[in-house]
Amino acid sequence: MQNVTIVICNYNYGRFLAKAIDSALEQDYPATQVLVIDDGSTDGSREIIESYGGRVKALYKQNGGQVSAYNDAVNMLETEFVILLDSDDLLYGHAVSNVMRVFESGNFVKVQFRLDVIDPAGKPSGTYVPHSAAPSDCGSPLRQGWLYPSPPASGNAYRTSALKKIFPVPEADINRYGADFYAIYGVALLGAVATIPESLGAYRVHRTENSGIDFANSESNDKAPKALTKRWAILRQMARARLGIELPLSFHDFSLEKAHFCSAVYQAPFTKRWRWVSRQSHSYFRSIVGNPFWSYKKKIGTLALSSLCLLPFSALSDFAVRYIANPLARRRF
């Protein structure tokens, strides 16, 4: 039986931290170790971690951001397999066992799985992420600039030897967060990715303002495009320097394009919606029509919903935007 480490990266999430640690310690896979990286919390998180005594290994560091925490975590890893769990998320008790069965069935660099979406109080939303499955060969479309469907950070298990070829990631003021971006997409350049088509954990969503068009914890719709663009540029530099892989200058990602779509047409006047579709929507529709991971049915459905923003009825247009942008908004209909 091979050892696995669950790394929990935490910053001021003391109100959720114990549940995350408990979910890691309660795994039914005996060879599971737990490492907590506390990134300079000031909310009492340290006392919570220390209450577990020798059941967990811990690193208390000065605040440096998520990239810094991931760098330290990967550097400390002594097991060949790892799950990087956010401290506000949860793993179900059979997660590691299921992941390891897949790792043992093939030479995968990453195994990903669905996460049920829960609200800040832990109440299930009735939906999960991601909604599209990734192919085993994610590297080929990635080399063409297509970001493949992946769960958030907590829904990914990695082969440590692959992660160590990607990390450490440069730590800069503009690159403090989004460390999972480099793990998720960098590792896929090194080998096959497997997908488990069931939920093995829970992803906690905190931000649901703007009537439900936001579906992210770290960045709003106006900040996400800029952040992703910077991360892609850094990943390109790393891939060239460390792996000898040349990635394209730009990338394609529906999540990015729908952020532009939401910002442009949600609660916008009829004329503004038409103007955006006629002049600025090329990349958005390309991310749908050319998407190598989507079925024809999903493409047609998304195009049909998107076209509702061209109707003069603002309520119908806003409904379509909410439905496309945020799975949490769908449960009300």
Side-chain angles (χ1 to χ4, degrees):
M1 178 174 287
Q2 302 196 66
N3 292 331
V4 181
T5 301
I6 298 176
V7 176
I8 302 173
C9 294
N10 175 69
Y11 175 65
N12 282 349
Y13 266 165
R15 61 195 184 278
F16 306 120
L17 181 57
K19 291 186 179 298
I21 295 175
D22 288 344
S23 77
L25 290 173
E26 292 167 1
Q27 292 298 307
D28 62 9
Y29 187 82
T32 302
Q33 304 173 17
V34 181
L35 168 64
V36 182
I37 308 290
D38 187 76
D39 191 35
S41 294
T42 58
D43 68 343
S45 290
R46 180 165 187 153
E47 288 75 13
I48 294 171
I49 299 167
E50 290 177 342
S51 71
Y52 287 88
R55 300 174 69 196
V56 305
K57 185 177 180 180
L59 171 67
Y60 304 100
K61 60 187 292 295
Q62 291 185 339
N63 180 254
Q66 190 191 39
V67 168
S68 173
Y70 266 51
N71 284 344
D72 285 337
V74 173
N75 183 58
M76 293 178 66
L77 286 173
E78 298 177 348
T79 62
E80 177 58 359
F81 301 96
V82 59
I83 295 176
L84 293 160
L85 176 66
D86 284 346
S87 58
D88 57 336
D89 295 340
L90 305 169
L91 292 175
Y92 299 154
H94 57 289
V96 175
S97 294
N98 285 17
V99 162
M100 289 309 297
R101 275 196 290 270
V102 177
F103 269 127
E104 291 166 359
S105 70
N107 190 29
F108 300 108
V109 294
K110 190 185 90 155
V111 175
Q112 64 180 48
F113 47 88
R114 295 189 326 212
L115 296 171
D116 291 327
V117 177
I118 59 177
D119 69 11
K123 180 181 178 181
S125 70
T127 189
Y128 57 82
V129 287
H131 284 264
S132 300
S136 60
D137 180 18
C138 296
S140 292
L142 190 59
R143 286 178 173 86
Q144 300 172 35
W146 284 95
L147 302 188
Y148 67 90
S150 173
S154 302
N156 300 277
Y158 301 94
R159 192 176 290 273
T160 300
S161 55
L163 269 184
K164 286 182 179 288
K165 294 180 180 178
I166 304 301
F167 288 83
V169 171
E171 298 176 24
D173 290 341
I174 62 170
N175 196 44
R176 286 173 54 89
Y177 306 105
D180 53 323
F181 178 92
Y182 305 103
I184 289 167
Y185 299 111
V187 163
L189 295 170
L190 299 171
V193 173
T195 298
I196 298 176
E198 66 176 284
S199 295
L200 299 182
Y203 171 61
R204 197 181 306 269
V205 171
H206 305 275
R207 299 177 60 247
T208 55
E209 66 267 27
N210 295 329
S211 301
I213 67 166
D214 287 317
F215 186 55
N217 288 328
S218 58
E219 290 145 347
S220 58
N221 284 332
D222 59 337
K223 293 181 180 179
K226 183 182 294 186
L228 280 174
T229 301
K230 289 178 179 177
R231 287 168 196 154
W232 178 257
I234 293 171
L235 181 63
R236 287 186 69 241
Q237 295 170 0
M238 293 168 53
R240 182 189 303 116
R242 301 181 188 180
L243 309 177
I245 295 174
E246 193 67 37
L247 296 175
L249 185 62
S250 60
F251 65 96
H252 313 292
D253 177 52
F254 179 70
S255 295
L256 170 67
E257 296 303 334
K258 78 178 181 183
H260 290 300
F261 171 69
C262 293
S263 298
V265 306
Y266 189 65
Q267 296 182 337
F270 179 57
T271 54
K272 182 180 178 181
R273 286 183 264 137
W274 264 94
R275 187 164 54 249
W276 184 85
V277 170
S278 62
R279 299 179 184 178
Q280 299 174 280
S281 63
H282 174 75
S283 295
Y284 173 73
F285 286 111
R286 181 182 180 184
S287 72
I288 299 172
V289 176
N291 198 309
F293 312 111
W294 285 14
S295 66
Y296 285 113
K297 180 179 179 180
K298 184 169 184 176
K299 291 179 182 181
I300 292 171
T302 307
L303 288 171
L305 278 169
S306 302
S307 69
L308 294 179
C309 73
L310 296 175
L311 299 177
F313 310 107
S314 58
L316 189 58
S317 173
D318 290 343
F319 159 75
V321 174
R322 289 195 301 270
Y323 195 94
I324 291 170
N326 186 350
L328 291 180
R330 301 172 193 173
R331 61 180 174 175
R332 295 194 294 271
F333 303 101

